[in-house]
Amino acid sequence: MSDREIKVYKDLMGANAEWAAKTRELLKEKGIRMLNLIGSPGSGKTALLEKTAEMLGENRKFAVLEGDVETTRDAERLDCLNVPVSQLLTGGACHLEAKLVHHALIDLDLDALDLVFVENVGNMVCPAEFDVGENAKIAVLSITEGEDKPLKYPLLFREAGAVVLSKTDLAPHLDLDIRDYEKHIWQVHSGVPVLRVSARTGEGLDRWIAEIVKAGQ
Ligand code: MG
Ligand code: ZN
């Protein structure tokens, strides 16, 4: 045996878990909750955050970490509403990792916050595999996507602490029964809260604020 030191490279998920743990510790210390919104492109994640900002008005104490592959478009939408927001660009990756989230988090004015939303990169698959140190993952599924999605992409719905069923105002124009969405969600994650919301009409936003946003603050 030589006395050379052998370099050890940890697997990606191992390193990710360490950053996520650091983030969780920091959030606990600061008394902040972090929610990780995950859903397809166009499922209504940013619209939900815009409405959340409007409904909470001046009393809000939340910031948003916006994940995207390219562009700062979503961050600009929230910045217009005076929400503290940082853009996290993955440079091609289809999910956020804990290290990037941690570095963005520590640059926020944490003493002024009690809640941080992470809007993950639009994607139903791998963001669900990456712990970014959040307190809960929130799945966002619009009713235009098809009621089979919870069965086809079960990990996200299994991991989710709550599911937002968005764009419910479109139901009369579509050949569907919203109860089929709920049935499939509960088939993969029995009992998970499902919130029907429409950012357009405001349906369900009161419950979203009361049960998810204000809970634990
Ligand atoms: Mg968005
Ligand atoms: Zn990915």
Side-chain angles (χ1 to χ4, degrees):
M1 230 169 70
S2 81
D3 53 7
R4 284 189 300 270
E5 199 182 319
I6 295 174
K7 285 184 182 147
V8 177
Y9 295 94
K10 283 188 191 167
D11 70 280
L12 179 64
M13 286 302 198
N16 193 72
E18 281 177 21
W19 283 106
K22 256 186 214 190
T23 290
R24 209 163 270 126
E25 208 172 290
L26 177 63
L27 292 168
K28 197 175 170 195
E29 181 193 318
K30 295 285 181 183
I32 298 172
R33 264 191 342 134
M34 190 163 88
L35 301 175
N36 184 4
L37 300 189
I38 303 176
S40 304
S43 56
K45 299 179 294 299
T46 314
L48 182 65
L49 293 175
E50 285 174 320
K51 287 292 162 188
T52 306
E54 282 171 22
M55 288 189 71
L56 291 179
E58 297 306 308
N59 300 324
R60 64 184 182 238
K61 286 179 167 182
F62 76 84
V64 177
L65 302 178
E66 265 298 337
D68 263 306
V69 174
E70 283 193 36
T71 88
T72 53
R73 295 178 74 101
D74 286 358
E76 286 161 24
R77 283 167 62 181
L78 293 160
D79 181 64
C80 284
L81 299 169
N82 296 317
V83 174
V85 58
S86 303
Q87 183 73 57
L88 281 60
L89 295 180
T90 64
C94 49
H95 58 270
L96 289 173
E97 287 176 23
K99 185 179 179 182
L100 185 60
V101 170
H102 188 83
H103 283 102
L105 183 73
I106 56 177
D107 283 342
L108 295 172
D109 180 9
L110 296 178
D111 292 327
L113 299 173
D114 55 25
L115 179 64
V116 173
F117 286 106
V118 174
E119 182 183 338
N120 220 301
V121 179
N123 180 345
M124 262 189 173
V125 185
C126 62
E129 294 170 19
F130 284 81
D131 180 6
V132 297
E134 73 278 330
N135 297 99
K137 292 182 171 73
I138 308 287
V140 182
L141 174 68
S142 69
I143 63 164
T144 56
E145 293 176 65
E147 74 284 344
D148 55 349
K149 296 306 173 290
L151 303 176
K152 292 176 81 170
Y153 306 101
L155 180 65
L156 171 58
F157 298 91
R158 246 178 243 138
E159 288 277 313
V163 179
V164 172
L165 214 42
S166 64
K167 307 192 188 180
T168 53
D169 55 292
L170 296 176
H173 307 288
L174 302 166
D175 192 14
L176 58 78
D177 185 340
I178 292 186
R179 286 171 301 183
D180 290 336
Y181 282 80
E182 290 164 339
K183 192 175 81 187
H184 292 157
I185 291 164
W186 289 327
Q187 206 171 314
V188 301
H189 188 169
S190 175
V192 67
V194 177
L195 293 94
R196 299 181 184 192
V197 308
S198 164
R200 192 153 153 254
T201 65
E203 183 200 350
L205 288 172
D206 283 340
R207 191 179 160 211
W208 157 255
I209 298 285
E211 287 192 26
I212 309 297
V213 179
K214 288 199 173 153
Q217 271 186 6

